[in-house]
Amino acid sequence: MIPPIASQFVAGEGPATALDHARELNDRNVKAILNLLGEHHHDRQPADEDAETYLRLLDDIEGSGVDACISVKPSQIGLDVGPEVFRENVERIVDYAAARDVFVWLDIEDHTPPDATLDAYEELAITHDGGVGVCVQANLKRTERDLERLADVPGKIRLVKGAYDEPESVAIQEKSAVDDAYREYLEYMFEHFDGGIAVGSHDPEMIALAEDLHEEYGTDFEIQMLMGVREDAQFELAEEYEVWQYVPYGDKWLSYFYRRVMERKQNLFFALRAILGR
Ligand code: FAD
């Protein structure tokens, strides 16, 4: 069972509680991005099993009628086993989701260059005329080139600051410089993309910038935030904009919770305060 301190950020261990949470979000005009926790499988069997679990989740989403999509970690479905294993599983998931009219996001993770994921995204988005999206990280030095390359692909791009410590050879190190890059890329996307922009940030400054850019360029966008983070703001923004909440679930919650706390120590305080206030 997930301890109350972590349940601020994780919607239970199985799909039923995650779908319940999604339904509650839908009642407040927020849509759900469901993520089965797990990453870095080094053997084919667990990667295939998690891909299979995603297919069952897609059945559940279709059957429940909730407004939800899924977000998948490439290393969870075989990227560390081999690019061909990842490719097979991601195609299986995206094809299955397309048949059920459910959108699929691909997260971007640490260390490995994102080429295999971006290539898969590009091909699948073109084949399915959308229906799939990918994350790009503002801290990576290559992101400007990736955005130029992906500008005309008919899917969606989620711009985040980047959650992983990466070496200086590939990533900007200073937080203020990452923020500058985020602003620059956001502006590029609103100017050059034909919609399909997801602002994956809790930062009020970046959200305000996106609102201004939307006014200036008229480009459609959505806001994405994590479960348990600035939820009041999510509900408030949902009165005016399309808002999606990233909802992780599953028994591998510990490392996810640890990452949220390491990213921002106040998360521990917020989680404690929420429990004490119950
Ligand atoms: P930060 O720079 O962390 O904070 C800026 C400001 O936001 C703070 O000053 C504060 O005002 C506000 N804020 C931030 N956190 C809190 C909080 N807990 N409580 C209250 N206010 C807060 N990263 C990846 O590398 N790959 C991915 O695939 C990926 N997917 C993501 C999907 C979604 C939907 C989201 C929201 C994030 C994702 N991330 C991903 C994580 C991302 O890279 C950042 O690490 C994370 O979002 C923190 O950066 P930030 O933009 O929210 O703002």
Side-chain angles (χ1 to χ4, degrees), residues 103 121 125-126 129-134 150 152-157 195-197:
F103 194 90
Y121 161 72
I126 290 169
D129 195 22
V132 56
V134 73
L150 300 174
D152 295 326
V153 175
K156 290 188 189 178
I157 302 288
I197 300 171

Side-chain angles (χ1 to χ4, degrees), residues 30-85:
V30 172
K31 304 169 193 214
I33 306 169
L34 301 182
N35 167 256
L36 170 70
L37 289 165
E39 56 197 325
H40 295 302
H41 290 316
H42 296 288
D43 294 314
R44 173 142 202 173
Q45 194 187 338
D48 287 349
E49 281 170 5
D50 277 3
E52 194 63 39
T53 306
Y54 266 115
L55 304 189
R56 300 289 74 79
L57 177 63
L58 289 163
D59 286 334
D60 290 343
I61 291 173
E62 188 188 30
S64 67
V66 295
D67 204 343
C69 64
I70 61 170
S71 202
V72 180
K73 293 220 179 311
S75 76
Q76 181 179 18
I77 56 165
L79 190 58
D80 293 353
V81 185
E84 64 298 336
V85 178

Side-chain angles (χ1 to χ4, degrees), residues 178-194:
V178 175
D179 286 351
D180 287 345
Y182 194 99
R183 287 187 203 95
E184 189 190 315
Y185 297 146
L186 208 51
E187 178 135 19
Y188 177 85
M189 291 166 80
F190 274 88
E191 195 178 346
H192 295 278
F193 282 26
D194 186 18

Side-chain angles (χ1 to χ4, degrees), residues 9 33 71-74 106-110 134-139 158-164 166 175 178-179 182 199-206 223-231 244-247 256 259-260 263-264 266-267 270:
F9 301 102
I33 306 169
S71 202
V72 180
K73 293 220 179 311
L106 300 176
D107 289 350
I108 293 281
E109 303 169 82
D110 53 340
V134 73
C135 180
V136 297
Q137 297 154 318
N139 65 331
R158 172 202 299 151
L159 181 65
V160 301
K161 291 186 185 176
Y164 302 92
E166 298 288 2
K175 183 162 170 22
V178 175
D179 286 351
Y182 194 99
V199 181
S201 177
H202 312 102
D203 192 336
E205 208 193 302
M206 302 307 160
I223 297 162
Q224 299 188 355
M225 296 194 197
L226 303 179
M227 179 179 172
V229 180
R230 297 199 67 216
E231 290 199 335
W244 291 79
Q245 184 181 103
Y246 188 99
V247 179
Y256 178 82
R259 196 177 304 150
R260 294 284 78 78
E263 192 171 72
R264 194 177 155 88
Q266 286 121 300
N267 277 338
F270 288 134

